[in-house]
Amino acid sequence: MIVMNNVNKVYEDGFHALKNINLEMKKGEITVLIGPSGCGKSTTMKLINRLISPSSGEVLINGRNVNEIDPVKLRRNIGYVIQSIGLFPHMTIGRNVGIVPRLKKWDADKINRRIDELMRLVGLPPETYRDRYPSELSGGQQQRIGVIRALAADPDIILMDEPFSALDPISREQLQDELIRLQQELRKTIVFVTHDMDEALKIADTIVLMKEGQIVQTGTPETILRHPANDFVRTFIGEKRLMPDSLYEIPTVDEVMVRKPVTAFPTRGLAEAIRLMEQRKVDSLFIVDRDNDLQGIVSIYQVLDQYGEENKTVADVMQPVLYSVKTGSPLTAAVELLNRHQLSNLAVVDDRNRLVGLITRGSVVRHLANVMPATSPAEEV
Amino acid sequence: MEANHLTIMDLLDYMGRNAGMLWEYFWQHVGMVLTGTGLAFLAGVPLGVLCAHYPAAAKIVLTATNILQVLPSLAMLVLLMLWLGLGSDTVIVGLFLYSLNPIVRNTCVGLQQIDASYVEAGRGVGMSPLQILFQVRFPLSLTYLMSGVRIAAVIAIGVVTIAPLVGGDGLGREIYAGINNQNSLRIYAGAIPAALLAIATDIVLGGLQRKLRLDNRKSGN
């Protein structure tokens, strides 16, 4: 466990980079330090491996003040991943991965076994990649190597300074997923610095939000989303991620449904049914009696199948309606049914089985678009 | 002897007949260059490291070596001769002082141009300052260092040709003998090998310099 007590950092030019930081980073968790640039998040992280020393206050690792530990030794026992180009360009991938074990004077066999093991762990076969140089790998591959280099000597603590920020969005997502997967196995104490809120929400056990050298809010992603401490946090999270109130109350199907579904009486002939479908541009009709009581459904395929039989009516070809929702039920119930049975639409009926509306995939999307307006104009393709 | 009737065959003939003496001059020449620039390398690299770390020291050291380098070579050698007497040692000291500037400057610039994130990565993984210097900073600045050595060596090869003026050896002897005897064959026999040596050194060290560019290294496959 890492604890910071009343830590201040004042530079010679008088810049007060950290103001009274009190922080606890729990063992086996990912703590994400986040904030706008210049907020002191990297500085805070670098206190842990003494790349930066506090002007006052103390930093404790498992109860021991880091100031009492030789910085070189301390750093060999803390994994460190930095932004994109942390790999040494003049060393092969294998040498890069094995650097900390080599500094710790492990024997060569053990180092080699460890390198191979780690490279397999992130899906880079050592036979292929071991003897290559960093410039021969893609950005995503390089940063995988950066991550396993930090794991090489099996440290308990790993510091990651915006490790994925220079990657393209797809590689970034993959590496985040991989980090989560690795963490489930390894349970390291990870301190992760980022300015990307999506990244923080995705990987963090605890988020520490900083601004101008101070901690603004600490909490789980859920707490921060639900109870942002102030306007700064709210703006930083971004309005679109904060759930609008209307979503907390789940809408009923009545708010979402199409109110006038296309219906036909059971006595209609097949040719009439087709004409009606053409007119209203639909591929199926709900069959209702004079009381609007739902009898069944016919699709254009069933009609065309039997089209030769002039005497038949839609009543003869219709299918029973297998799934419907009652008016007033929550939208989630309808969406669940649509999804589970791969339906294109779903009838909404009242308690006397009268058809009152229709939920379609389109109507759900339209509703979502209304309650969650895009913050920036969507790109038109 | 009438110079305008000389042919390349005459020169080759002369050089063939005096091969033993010319080779001796040649190796003396090379020896002085190697010793002078070698000493400059041994002193210049640490000075370059110092300059890279302490900007205040850099100002003094670079200014001093700069002044040494802008002194005309003849003047420098003559001044050294007044102090050290005649002989090849005087020449070597002169070369040493001459070569310092390119080596110190290039070492310093080479170390400074390294992307700070490599140094931080080195610190972050737990390298000591010396390990960072030898395992990260030197490898990544080798190409600059080599370029300093190359400039120093090529200049030195030229400067050594005036060594006989202060009692030194080398191909310059043949040149000055030719001047004194008004024998252009001997002038050519000294000057052409010296020029070729300079060109060859430049090409070889240039190739080495490109090979030592490690910041974008590729494997064979």
Side-chain angles (χ1 to χ4, degrees), chain A residues 301-332:
Chain A
Y301 305 107
Q302 287 147 358
V303 175
L304 289 176
D305 203 34
Q306 306 275 327
Y307 195 66
E309 318 255 349
E310 285 189 22
N311 296 329
K312 285 207 170 168
T313 62
V314 288
D316 297 319
V317 299
M318 74 182 181
Q319 303 283 316
V321 176
L322 295 174
Y323 305 102
S324 63
V325 287
K326 285 264 172 343
T327 168
S329 41
L331 178 63
T332 44

mmCIF file of all heavy atoms in Angstrom, chain A residues 301-332:
data_model
loop_
_atom_site.group_PDB
_atom_site.id
_atom_site.type_symbol
_atom_site.label_atom_id
_atom_site.label_comp_id
_atom_site.label_asym_id
_atom_site.label_seq_id
_atom_site.Cartn_x
_atom_site.Cartn_y
_atom_site.Cartn_z
ATOM 1 N N TYR A 301 -44.015 -12.352 -46.753
ATOM 2 C CA TYR A 301 -43.607 -13.665 -47.279
ATOM 3 C C TYR A 301 -44.764 -14.668 -47.234
ATOM 4 O O TYR A 301 -44.991 -15.417 -48.159
ATOM 5 C CB TYR A 301 -42.419 -14.199 -46.481
ATOM 6 C CG TYR A 301 -41.287 -13.234 -46.462
ATOM 7 C CD1 TYR A 301 -40.981 -12.513 -45.325
ATOM 8 C CD2 TYR A 301 -40.553 -13.010 -47.633
ATOM 9 C CE1 TYR A 301 -39.954 -11.596 -45.327
ATOM 10 C CE2 TYR A 301 -39.520 -12.081 -47.648
ATOM 11 C CZ TYR A 301 -39.221 -11.381 -46.478
ATOM 12 O OH TYR A 301 -38.236 -10.476 -46.489
ATOM 13 N N GLN A 302 -45.491 -14.619 -46.089
ATOM 14 C CA GLN A 302 -46.618 -15.542 -45.979
ATOM 15 C C GLN A 302 -47.676 -15.223 -47.028
ATOM 16 O O GLN A 302 -48.273 -16.108 -47.639
ATOM 17 C CB GLN A 302 -47.219 -15.468 -44.575
ATOM 18 C CG GLN A 302 -46.325 -16.119 -43.530
ATOM 19 C CD GLN A 302 -46.415 -15.442 -42.179
ATOM 20 O OE1 GLN A 302 -47.121 -14.450 -42.009
ATOM 21 N NE2 GLN A 302 -45.685 -15.984 -41.226
ATOM 22 N N VAL A 303 -47.889 -13.934 -47.261
ATOM 23 C CA VAL A 303 -48.903 -13.535 -48.237
ATOM 24 C C VAL A 303 -48.503 -13.984 -49.639
ATOM 25 O O VAL A 303 -49.288 -14.598 -50.366
ATOM 26 C CB VAL A 303 -49.117 -12.004 -48.205
ATOM 27 C CG1 VAL A 303 -50.094 -11.578 -49.301
ATOM 28 C CG2 VAL A 303 -49.623 -11.575 -46.838
ATOM 29 N N LEU A 304 -47.259 -13.730 -49.994
ATOM 30 C CA LEU A 304 -46.810 -14.094 -51.339
ATOM 31 C C LEU A 304 -46.840 -15.602 -51.546
ATOM 32 O O LEU A 304 -47.159 -16.089 -52.632
ATOM 33 C CB LEU A 304 -45.391 -13.567 -51.586
ATOM 34 C CG LEU A 304 -45.302 -12.051 -51.748
ATOM 35 C CD1 LEU A 304 -43.851 -11.614 -51.878
ATOM 36 C CD2 LEU A 304 -46.106 -11.573 -52.961
ATOM 37 N N ASP A 305 -46.567 -16.326 -50.475
ATOM 38 C CA ASP A 305 -46.548 -17.782 -50.521
ATOM 39 C C ASP A 305 -47.902 -18.344 -50.945
ATOM 40 O O ASP A 305 -48.001 -19.306 -51.698
ATOM 41 C CB ASP A 305 -46.171 -18.261 -49.119
ATOM 42 C CG ASP A 305 -45.586 -19.645 -49.164
ATOM 43 O OD1 ASP A 305 -44.895 -19.942 -50.172
ATOM 44 O OD2 ASP A 305 -45.812 -20.422 -48.221
ATOM 45 N N GLN A 306 -48.959 -17.720 -50.456
ATOM 46 C CA GLN A 306 -50.316 -18.227 -50.676
ATOM 47 C C GLN A 306 -51.063 -17.400 -51.721
ATOM 48 O O GLN A 306 -52.278 -17.517 -51.857
ATOM 49 C CB GLN A 306 -51.101 -18.153 -49.352
ATOM 50 C CG GLN A 306 -50.428 -18.845 -48.183
ATOM 51 C CD GLN A 306 -50.733 -20.323 -48.145
ATOM 52 O OE1 GLN A 306 -51.821 -20.746 -48.524
ATOM 53 N NE2 GLN A 306 -49.775 -21.117 -47.704
ATOM 54 N N TYR A 307 -50.334 -16.526 -52.421
ATOM 55 C CA TYR A 307 -51.001 -15.515 -53.239
ATOM 56 C C TYR A 307 -51.919 -16.112 -54.301
ATOM 57 O O TYR A 307 -52.945 -15.542 -54.653
ATOM 58 C CB TYR A 307 -49.942 -14.628 -53.904
ATOM 59 C CG TYR A 307 -50.509 -13.363 -54.469
ATOM 60 C CD1 TYR A 307 -51.035 -12.401 -53.609
ATOM 61 C CD2 TYR A 307 -50.557 -13.143 -55.843
ATOM 62 C CE1 TYR A 307 -51.578 -11.239 -54.120
ATOM 63 C CE2 TYR A 307 -51.097 -11.972 -56.353
ATOM 64 C CZ TYR A 307 -51.615 -11.030 -55.479
ATOM 65 O OH TYR A 307 -52.155 -9.881 -55.976
ATOM 66 N N GLY A 308 -51.575 -17.313 -54.823
ATOM 67 C CA GLY A 308 -52.362 -17.948 -55.872
ATOM 68 C C GLY A 308 -53.794 -18.270 -55.434
ATOM 69 O O GLY A 308 -54.722 -18.305 -56.238
ATOM 70 N N GLU A 309 -54.016 -18.476 -54.164
ATOM 71 C CA GLU A 309 -55.325 -18.871 -53.662
ATOM 72 C C GLU A 309 -56.216 -17.655 -53.490
ATOM 73 O O GLU A 309 -56.145 -16.957 -52.500
ATOM 74 C CB GLU A 309 -55.163 -19.555 -52.297
ATOM 75 C CG GLU A 309 -53.975 -20.513 -52.242
ATOM 76 C CD GLU A 309 -54.413 -21.958 -52.287
ATOM 77 O OE1 GLU A 309 -55.633 -22.218 -52.151
ATOM 78 O OE2 GLU A 309 -53.543 -22.823 -52.480
ATOM 79 N N GLU A 310 -57.083 -17.426 -54.498
ATOM 80 C CA GLU A 310 -57.847 -16.176 -54.508
ATOM 81 C C GLU A 310 -58.837 -16.048 -53.378
ATOM 82 O O GLU A 310 -59.216 -14.966 -52.975
ATOM 83 C CB GLU A 310 -58.573 -16.031 -55.848
ATOM 84 C CG GLU A 310 -57.618 -15.632 -56.946
ATOM 85 C CD GLU A 310 -58.345 -15.268 -58.224
ATOM 86 O OE1 GLU A 310 -59.543 -14.920 -58.142
ATOM 87 O OE2 GLU A 310 -57.703 -15.326 -59.280
ATOM 88 N N ASN A 311 -59.312 -17.198 -52.845
ATOM 89 C CA ASN A 311 -60.353 -17.135 -51.825
ATOM 90 C C ASN A 311 -59.840 -16.912 -50.416
ATOM 91 O O ASN A 311 -60.593 -16.672 -49.505
ATOM 92 C CB ASN A 311 -61.174 -18.419 -51.846
ATOM 93 C CG ASN A 311 -61.902 -18.549 -53.163
ATOM 94 O OD1 ASN A 311 -62.274 -17.527 -53.761
ATOM 95 N ND2 ASN A 311 -62.083 -19.770 -53.621
ATOM 96 N N LYS A 312 -58.534 -17.032 -50.282
ATOM 97 C CA LYS A 312 -57.997 -16.920 -48.921
ATOM 98 C C LYS A 312 -57.993 -15.488 -48.430
ATOM 99 O O LYS A 312 -57.860 -14.537 -49.197
ATOM 100 C CB LYS A 312 -56.580 -17.488 -48.880
ATOM 101 C CG LYS A 312 -56.595 -19.014 -48.919
ATOM 102 C CD LYS A 312 -55.370 -19.591 -48.257
ATOM 103 C CE LYS A 312 -55.567 -21.100 -48.098
ATOM 104 N NZ LYS A 312 -54.333 -21.777 -47.718
ATOM 105 N N THR A 313 -58.143 -15.332 -47.105
ATOM 106 C CA THR A 313 -58.045 -14.014 -46.483
ATOM 107 C C THR A 313 -56.814 -14.002 -45.585
ATOM 108 O O THR A 313 -56.192 -15.046 -45.343
ATOM 109 C CB THR A 313 -59.284 -13.716 -45.620
ATOM 110 O OG1 THR A 313 -59.328 -14.687 -44.574
ATOM 111 C CG2 THR A 313 -60.547 -13.773 -46.458
ATOM 112 N N VAL A 314 -56.512 -12.842 -45.090
ATOM 113 C CA VAL A 314 -55.332 -12.750 -44.210
ATOM 114 C C VAL A 314 -55.511 -13.621 -42.983
ATOM 115 O O VAL A 314 -54.540 -14.103 -42.403
ATOM 116 C CB VAL A 314 -55.025 -11.284 -43.804
ATOM 117 C CG1 VAL A 314 -54.456 -10.520 -44.987
ATOM 118 C CG2 VAL A 314 -56.228 -10.606 -43.199
ATOM 119 N N ALA A 315 -56.774 -13.851 -42.560
ATOM 120 C CA ALA A 315 -57.017 -14.692 -41.386
ATOM 121 C C ALA A 315 -56.478 -16.099 -41.595
ATOM 122 O O ALA A 315 -56.044 -16.749 -40.656
ATOM 123 C CB ALA A 315 -58.499 -14.722 -41.069
ATOM 124 N N ASP A 316 -56.494 -16.546 -42.887
ATOM 125 C CA ASP A 316 -56.033 -17.902 -43.151
ATOM 126 C C ASP A 316 -54.511 -18.040 -43.084
ATOM 127 O O ASP A 316 -53.988 -19.101 -42.821
ATOM 128 C CB ASP A 316 -56.491 -18.347 -44.547
ATOM 129 C CG ASP A 316 -58.010 -18.387 -44.613
ATOM 130 O OD1 ASP A 316 -58.606 -18.848 -43.634
ATOM 131 O OD2 ASP A 316 -58.572 -17.920 -45.631
ATOM 132 N N VAL A 317 -53.809 -16.950 -43.388
ATOM 133 C CA VAL A 317 -52.350 -17.059 -43.432
ATOM 134 C C VAL A 317 -51.657 -16.460 -42.203
ATOM 135 O O VAL A 317 -50.464 -16.629 -42.025
ATOM 136 C CB VAL A 317 -51.763 -16.409 -44.709
ATOM 137 C CG1 VAL A 317 -52.275 -17.090 -45.950
ATOM 138 C CG2 VAL A 317 -52.045 -14.925 -44.731
ATOM 139 N N MET A 318 -52.395 -15.784 -41.367
ATOM 140 C CA MET A 318 -51.726 -15.088 -40.265
ATOM 141 C C MET A 318 -51.148 -16.051 -39.231
ATOM 142 O O MET A 318 -51.592 -17.188 -39.100
ATOM 143 C CB MET A 318 -52.685 -14.108 -39.588
ATOM 144 C CG MET A 318 -53.731 -14.763 -38.712
ATOM 145 S SD MET A 318 -54.826 -13.529 -38.012
ATOM 146 C CE MET A 318 -55.899 -14.565 -37.042
ATOM 147 N N GLN A 319 -50.138 -15.569 -38.540
ATOM 148 C CA GLN A 319 -49.491 -16.323 -37.470
ATOM 149 C C GLN A 319 -49.881 -15.691 -36.139
ATOM 150 O O GLN A 319 -50.129 -14.490 -36.072
ATOM 151 C CB GLN A 319 -47.963 -16.225 -37.611
ATOM 152 C CG GLN A 319 -47.437 -16.703 -38.962
ATOM 153 C CD GLN A 319 -47.423 -18.208 -39.030
ATOM 154 O OE1 GLN A 319 -47.001 -18.876 -38.080
ATOM 155 N NE2 GLN A 319 -47.921 -18.760 -40.132
ATOM 156 N N PRO A 320 -49.914 -16.525 -35.102
ATOM 157 C CA PRO A 320 -50.175 -15.911 -33.799
ATOM 158 C C PRO A 320 -49.023 -14.976 -33.398
ATOM 159 O O PRO A 320 -47.884 -15.188 -33.813
ATOM 160 C CB PRO A 320 -50.245 -17.109 -32.843
ATOM 161 C CG PRO A 320 -49.584 -18.224 -33.560
ATOM 162 C CD PRO A 320 -49.746 -17.972 -35.023
ATOM 163 N N VAL A 321 -49.360 -13.958 -32.627
ATOM 164 C CA VAL A 321 -48.322 -13.033 -32.136
ATOM 165 C C VAL A 321 -47.691 -13.650 -30.900
ATOM 166 O O VAL A 321 -48.352 -13.841 -29.882
ATOM 167 C CB VAL A 321 -48.934 -11.653 -31.798
ATOM 168 C CG1 VAL A 321 -47.862 -10.741 -31.212
ATOM 169 C CG2 VAL A 321 -49.542 -11.042 -33.045
ATOM 170 N N LEU A 322 -46.426 -14.024 -31.021
ATOM 171 C CA LEU A 322 -45.782 -14.759 -29.922
ATOM 172 C C LEU A 322 -45.339 -13.851 -28.782
ATOM 173 O O LEU A 322 -45.369 -14.207 -27.630
ATOM 174 C CB LEU A 322 -44.587 -15.538 -30.463
ATOM 175 C CG LEU A 322 -44.938 -16.654 -31.452
ATOM 176 C CD1 LEU A 322 -43.676 -17.265 -32.033
ATOM 177 C CD2 LEU A 322 -45.801 -17.721 -30.770
ATOM 178 N N TYR A 323 -44.878 -12.642 -29.148
ATOM 179 C CA TYR A 323 -44.339 -11.756 -28.110
ATOM 180 C C TYR A 323 -45.033 -10.413 -28.168
ATOM 181 O O TYR A 323 -45.217 -9.850 -29.250
ATOM 182 C CB TYR A 323 -42.836 -11.540 -28.316
ATOM 183 C CG TYR A 323 -42.068 -12.834 -28.370
ATOM 184 C CD1 TYR A 323 -41.641 -13.354 -29.585
ATOM 185 C CD2 TYR A 323 -41.793 -13.531 -27.189
ATOM 186 C CE1 TYR A 323 -40.949 -14.555 -29.639
ATOM 187 C CE2 TYR A 323 -41.104 -14.731 -27.235
ATOM 188 C CZ TYR A 323 -40.681 -15.230 -28.466
ATOM 189 O OH TYR A 323 -40.013 -16.411 -28.504
ATOM 190 N N SER A 324 -45.444 -9.942 -27.008
ATOM 191 C CA SER A 324 -45.975 -8.587 -26.958
ATOM 192 C C SER A 324 -45.696 -8.053 -25.562
ATOM 193 O O SER A 324 -45.373 -8.823 -24.651
ATOM 194 C CB SER A 324 -47.477 -8.584 -27.237
ATOM 195 O OG SER A 324 -48.139 -9.319 -26.232
ATOM 196 N N VAL A 325 -45.761 -6.743 -25.412
ATOM 197 C CA VAL A 325 -45.609 -6.177 -24.068
ATOM 198 C C VAL A 325 -46.866 -5.400 -23.727
ATOM 199 O O VAL A 325 -47.549 -4.862 -24.610
ATOM 200 C CB VAL A 325 -44.375 -5.255 -23.941
ATOM 201 C CG1 VAL A 325 -43.099 -6.070 -23.924
ATOM 202 C CG2 VAL A 325 -44.361 -4.218 -25.043
ATOM 203 N N LYS A 326 -47.134 -5.339 -22.430
ATOM 204 C CA LYS A 326 -48.290 -4.594 -21.957
ATOM 205 C C LYS A 326 -47.966 -3.109 -21.929
ATOM 206 O O LYS A 326 -46.832 -2.712 -21.656
ATOM 207 C CB LYS A 326 -48.660 -5.061 -20.543
ATOM 208 C CG LYS A 326 -49.344 -6.416 -20.507
ATOM 209 C CD LYS A 326 -50.858 -6.198 -20.468
ATOM 210 C CE LYS A 326 -51.723 -7.448 -20.619
ATOM 211 N NZ LYS A 326 -51.168 -8.659 -21.139
ATOM 212 N N THR A 327 -48.964 -2.304 -22.230
ATOM 213 C CA THR A 327 -48.764 -0.867 -22.135
ATOM 214 C C THR A 327 -48.350 -0.512 -20.710
ATOM 215 O O THR A 327 -48.795 -1.140 -19.748
ATOM 216 C CB THR A 327 -50.051 -0.122 -22.555
ATOM 217 O OG1 THR A 327 -49.915 1.241 -22.182
ATOM 218 C CG2 THR A 327 -51.281 -0.668 -21.854
ATOM 219 N N GLY A 328 -47.467 0.463 -20.597
ATOM 220 C CA GLY A 328 -47.014 0.863 -19.272
ATOM 221 C C GLY A 328 -45.808 0.084 -18.777
ATOM 222 O O GLY A 328 -45.191 0.454 -17.782
ATOM 223 N N SER A 329 -45.414 -0.985 -19.477
ATOM 224 C CA SER A 329 -44.221 -1.700 -18.985
ATOM 225 C C SER A 329 -42.959 -0.924 -19.369
ATOM 226 O O SER A 329 -42.974 -0.114 -20.298
ATOM 227 C CB SER A 329 -44.201 -3.137 -19.494
ATOM 228 O OG SER A 329 -44.599 -3.208 -20.826
ATOM 229 N N PRO A 330 -41.880 -1.177 -18.629
ATOM 230 C CA PRO A 330 -40.654 -0.408 -18.897
ATOM 231 C C PRO A 330 -40.047 -0.779 -20.247
ATOM 232 O O PRO A 330 -40.182 -1.919 -20.699
ATOM 233 C CB PRO A 330 -39.721 -0.825 -17.761
ATOM 234 C CG PRO A 330 -40.243 -2.138 -17.282
ATOM 235 C CD PRO A 330 -41.719 -2.125 -17.521
ATOM 236 N N LEU A 331 -39.368 0.196 -20.837
ATOM 237 C CA LEU A 331 -38.755 -0.019 -22.148
ATOM 238 C C LEU A 331 -37.757 -1.169 -22.107
ATOM 239 O O LEU A 331 -37.625 -1.920 -23.066
ATOM 240 C CB LEU A 331 -38.060 1.270 -22.607
ATOM 241 C CG LEU A 331 -37.341 1.168 -23.952
ATOM 242 C CD1 LEU A 331 -38.309 0.877 -25.073
ATOM 243 C CD2 LEU A 331 -36.562 2.440 -24.243
ATOM 244 N N THR A 332 -37.089 -1.293 -20.953
ATOM 245 C CA THR A 332 -36.069 -2.344 -20.852
ATOM 246 C C THR A 332 -36.658 -3.719 -21.151
ATOM 247 O O THR A 332 -35.993 -4.550 -21.770
ATOM 248 C CB THR A 332 -35.448 -2.358 -19.455
ATOM 249 O OG1 THR A 332 -36.495 -2.242 -18.498
ATOM 250 C CG2 THR A 332 -34.463 -1.231 -19.285
#
